[in-house]
Amino acid sequence: MARDFEGDRTTMKDGRAQKISNAILSGLAGLASFVFSLMALLYLTELDQKILASLVAGTFCLLISYIASERPNTEGARALSALVDRLLAVEHGDLTSPAPSLLKRSLPKLAAAVDSLFDEVRSSIENAHALGMYDPVTSLPNRLHFRSEADKLLNQVGKNQSAMLFVDLDRFKAVNDCLGHARGDQLLVMVANRLRVVVTAELGDTGTPRPLLARLAGDEFTMFFPKIESVAEVEMLARRIALAIAEPFELQGHSIDIGASIGVAISPDHGQSVEALMRAADLAMYRAKQRGGGQHYLFSDKLALEHQSRIEIETALTDAVPRDQLRIALQPQVNLATGEVTGAEALIRWHHPRDGIRSPSSFIPIAEQTGIIAEIGDWVVTEAASILAGWQRDGIKRRLAFNVSPRQLDRVDFFSRLRQTFFDQGVPLSMVELEFTESAAMQCSEGDLAEIAALRSEGASIAIDDFGTGYSNIARLRSMPLDRVKLDPSLISDLDSSEQARVVVQAVVELIKGVGCEVVAEAVETVAQADILRAMGCHTIQGYVFAEPMYQDEYQAWTVGADRHARSVA
């Protein structure tokens, strides 16, 4: 307002000065014309001189009149100059000042257009700022905004304890899949409102800095409490969050039950920067999810070491195949009824350059999660084909079993490449057994089942591994093309000491035989367990009762006297 007032006052002064200067200029022009004309009449006698003097006087008067008529137009020029100055002020961030008053007086339509333009620019900038700093679904701060504000608060509180919480919703994907993404967004808004209630309840009258709540992405939320009194206080808060999210949500006539996995990290113990705290809370959240969800987990040094070990294993695994660090160990499978060695299972071993031989349990889960298992699986298929080709040359007709990962099935050319690998080695599929874990078998697509059935029709054997630990679909068990079902080791471990275990195993054996499949027990360690399994009708076993896994040369040497030893145990 002050700037407008000053502009108006300046404009009025300029107008009065212009009028006075025009009057003076006109008066002087008239006086000059009079004096010039008088002198010309008094002193000039010749006609041609008088004509010349008249022309000069007329030209001078015409020039003075032109100048006087054009001088009012300098107000428009000044108005345009003021507009240029206003536009150049944008370079210094001025988007709020109105059009200059001189422009409004001289060119009001242009001034209105300028004001309208700046209004639209300000509105666009504000919208872009909102989109860049806030989540459009929940209206919570987004990741960028959260990091910026949390960093400021963390610097303010100094060495005081702060808490970072990561909240990841459990079973949210099922809501999107069943009800659609629009309903999923509505659920996210409801979750955000419940989290706001928890944060508001924590404010109290303590005068501490306000906690931050943000949505990072998808179904992930985060909270930052700049100043806390104790770790126990934060864990109690995490439990309240878990309980709040566990309460059913009413959504379009549906009662939605989800949960929340919550990771907790404390500053400065678990990190002194926002990035370090977010990373720690994220790791803790994944551990809470691994433990079943619906709970919180506090970051610890042990978790950090496990994560570091996992990163090292993942990095080293990428070089395991190219550097020829993997080996195949063979564990014999024996028929209890005849004592015959019917085949073997190919078990992978990793000759780690630093740690020595690593068992599959130490790296296969990581390989599955990272996708490296697909490359390892291709290597296993190639090695199995090479081993079977050697057996065939030696006149050995035993079967070799190996596991197939769900990640391998994701490749559209898996089955065709598998056939080609064995064909190139001259190995008939009748010597091949493909093992699928129970959970993978239950999730196979119809297309995968058709491919598996085609392999079986060509002579390959199909088995389910680790049966009894997953969520089996009996109908799928009946419809899936199967030859053998392998009992999980957990069912065998206390078979000779627990009546309840024997009842369970007997029921499972009868179930498997009822769908027309052969039963195979693995991890059989004692003769007593072998006797019980034989009495139950399980005729094929593998385990330390006969032999531990061994490499190819050892396996061939062992099989020389294997039949005699197997018959004595049988």
Side-chain angles (χ1 to χ4, degrees):
M1 293 296 292
R3 291 183 62 179
D4 288 348
F5 179 74
E6 291 292 336
D8 291 342
R9 188 162 59 185
T10 300
T11 301
M12 293 175 64
K13 289 182 179 179
D14 290 344
R16 287 196 297 270
Q18 181 179 335
K19 289 180 180 179
I20 293 173
S21 64
N22 281 345
I24 294 174
L25 180 63
S26 299
L28 290 176
L31 177 63
S33 298
F34 171 75
V35 172
F36 185 83
S37 300
L38 180 63
M39 293 180 64
L41 291 173
L42 292 176
Y43 295 103
L44 296 177
T45 58
E46 298 296 329
L47 178 62
D48 55 346
Q49 292 177 336
K50 291 180 181 181
I51 292 174
L52 178 61
S54 298
L55 290 174
V56 171
T59 301
F60 178 74
C61 291
L62 182 62
L63 177 62
I64 295 302
S65 299
Y66 174 78
I67 293 173
S69 64
E70 285 297 318
R71 281 185 59 115
N73 292 335
T74 60
E75 182 175 359
R78 287 198 305 274
L80 293 177
S81 178
L83 174 60
V84 171
D85 292 339
R86 172 66 191 90
L87 294 176
L88 291 176
V90 174
E91 183 178 355
H92 303 289
D94 183 4
L95 293 172
T96 57
S97 298
S101 300
L102 184 58
L103 183 65
K104 292 180 179 179
R105 291 170 58 88
S106 301
L107 302 167
K109 291 184 178 180
L110 179 59
V114 169
D115 286 337
S116 176
L117 173 63
F118 277 102
D119 285 341
E120 292 182 8
V121 170
R122 285 194 300 271
S123 177
S124 297
I125 291 175
E126 289 171 359
N127 291 337
H129 181 267
L131 290 174
M133 303 300 284
Y134 291 91
D135 170 46
V137 176
T138 63
S139 299
L140 291 174
N142 61 14
R143 183 187 295 270
L144 179 65
H145 191 184
F146 174 80
R147 285 191 173 185
S148 174
E149 295 301 314
D151 189 60
K152 294 176 185 177
L153 289 174
L154 193 60
N155 291 331
Q156 291 175 10
V157 299
K159 295 184 178 180
N160 291 311
Q161 282 190 315
S162 302
M164 183 78 70
L165 277 69
F166 256 47
V167 180
D168 187 89
L169 302 183
D170 302 326
R171 302 180 296 280
F172 178 76
K173 184 178 182 299
V175 176
N176 271 342
D177 292 343
C178 296
L179 302 180
H181 289 277
R183 297 290 181 264
D185 286 348
Q186 292 177 6
L187 181 59
L188 290 174
V189 173
M190 298 168 75
V191 169
N193 290 336
R194 289 193 186 180
L195 294 177
R196 285 189 180 98
V197 170
V198 175
V199 170
T200 303
E202 289 301 309
L203 291 177
D205 300 320
T206 60
T208 57
R210 182 182 181 87
L212 297 178
L213 168 63
R215 180 192 175 204
L216 299 184
D219 58 351
E220 294 180 354
F221 296 83
T222 189
M223 295 178 171
F224 180 66
F225 292 84
K227 191 173 181 181
I228 61 172
E229 298 298 327
S230 66
V231 175
E233 173 193 358
V234 178
E235 291 199 86
M236 185 178 297
L237 171 65
R239 284 192 288 271
R240 282 203 291 269
I241 294 172
L243 290 173
I245 304 302
E247 289 292 322
F249 292 85
E250 295 299 326
L251 183 62
Q252 298 292 319
H254 299 275
S255 180
I256 307 298
D257 288 310
I258 59 174
S261 298
I262 304 164
V264 181
I266 307 297
S267 169
D269 297 342
H270 303 150
Q272 299 184 11
S273 66
V274 171
E275 288 76 13
L277 287 173
M278 292 180 73
R279 185 165 53 251
D282 193 31
L283 289 175
M285 180 272 292
Y286 276 108
R287 179 54 57 88
K289 193 170 286 289
Q290 290 170 1
R291 290 160 63 99
Q295 59 185 294
H296 77 280
Y297 193 88
L298 179 65
F299 184 81
S300 64
D301 292 339
K302 180 182 177 182
L303 182 60
L305 290 174
E306 291 176 0
H307 177 69
Q308 183 60 36
S309 175
R310 173 191 170 88
I311 295 298
E312 292 175 357
I313 291 174
E314 182 180 334
T315 302
L317 264 178
T318 59
D319 295 329
V321 173
R323 296 187 177 183
D324 195 28
Q325 296 172 357
L326 300 181
R327 299 288 185 275
I328 291 293
L330 304 174
Q331 186 166 41
Q333 296 177 344
V334 178
N335 188 308
L336 283 178
T338 65
E340 178 189 2
V341 178
T342 58
E345 180 180 4
L347 303 173
I348 193 168
R349 297 291 184 266
W350 180 17
H351 284 239
H352 193 278
R354 183 191 63 202
D355 302 336
I357 298 177
R358 301 194 66 137
S359 65
S361 61
S362 68
F363 65 90
I364 290 297
I366 297 175
E368 289 276 4
Q369 294 169 12
T370 58
I372 300 174
I373 192 65
E375 181 182 3
I376 294 176
D378 289 344
W379 177 85
V380 169
V381 171
T382 301
E383 288 297 304
S386 177
I387 291 172
L388 286 173
W391 288 4
Q392 183 161 274
R393 285 192 300 268
D394 295 338
I396 300 172
K397 298 302 181 182
R398 297 190 178 104
R399 187 172 51 233
L400 181 62
F402 56 86
N403 284 93
V404 175
S405 165
R407 291 294 190 105
Q408 292 174 268
L409 296 180
D410 290 339
R411 297 186 173 184
V412 294
D413 62 342
F414 168 71
F415 292 100
S416 60
R417 287 190 298 108
L418 182 142
R419 286 187 179 90
Q420 190 64 45
T421 300
F422 288 104
F423 177 80
D424 291 343
Q425 292 282 1
V427 175
L429 291 180
S430 58
M431 299 179 70
V432 177
E433 179 167 290
L434 278 64
E435 293 186 1
F436 300 86
T437 63
E438 181 181 8
S439 57
M442 296 305 117
Q443 296 171 6
C444 280
S445 67
E446 293 301 322
D448 289 337
L449 289 178
E451 291 281 6
I452 293 170
L455 279 175
R456 185 167 179 258
S457 68
E458 295 168 25
S461 296
I462 308 298
I464 288 182
D465 194 19
D466 300 331
F467 187 81
T469 58
Y471 298 94
S472 300
N473 183 321
I474 304 302
R476 170 59 64 87
L477 195 64
R478 291 177 56 193
S479 61
M480 186 173 180
L482 280 178
D483 297 285
R484 313 169 90 199
V485 176
K486 301 182 71 174
L487 302 180
D488 187 76
S490 63
L491 298 175
I492 309 300
S493 59
D494 55 352
L495 189 63
D496 52 350
S497 60
S498 169
E499 177 63 27
Q500 186 179 35
R502 290 192 288 272
V503 171
V504 171
V505 172
Q506 182 68 72
V508 174
V509 168
E510 294 300 325
L511 172 64
I512 295 171
K513 293 171 68 176
V515 296
C517 295
E518 178 185 350
V519 182
V520 180
E522 54 185 339
V524 180
E525 298 183 354
T526 67
V527 174
Q529 291 173 343
D531 289 339
I532 294 171
L533 288 165
R534 178 172 50 198
M536 290 180 175
C538 175
H539 298 309
T540 303
I541 66 172
Q542 68 183 76
Y544 282 16
V545 66
F546 289 120
E548 63 184 41
M550 61 194 82
Y551 294 121
Q552 170 71 354
D553 292 342
E554 298 172 286
Y555 176 82
Q556 287 183 321
W558 179 87
T559 55
V560 172
D563 290 342
R564 183 169 57 254
H565 174 71
R567 288 192 184 94
S568 66
V569 174

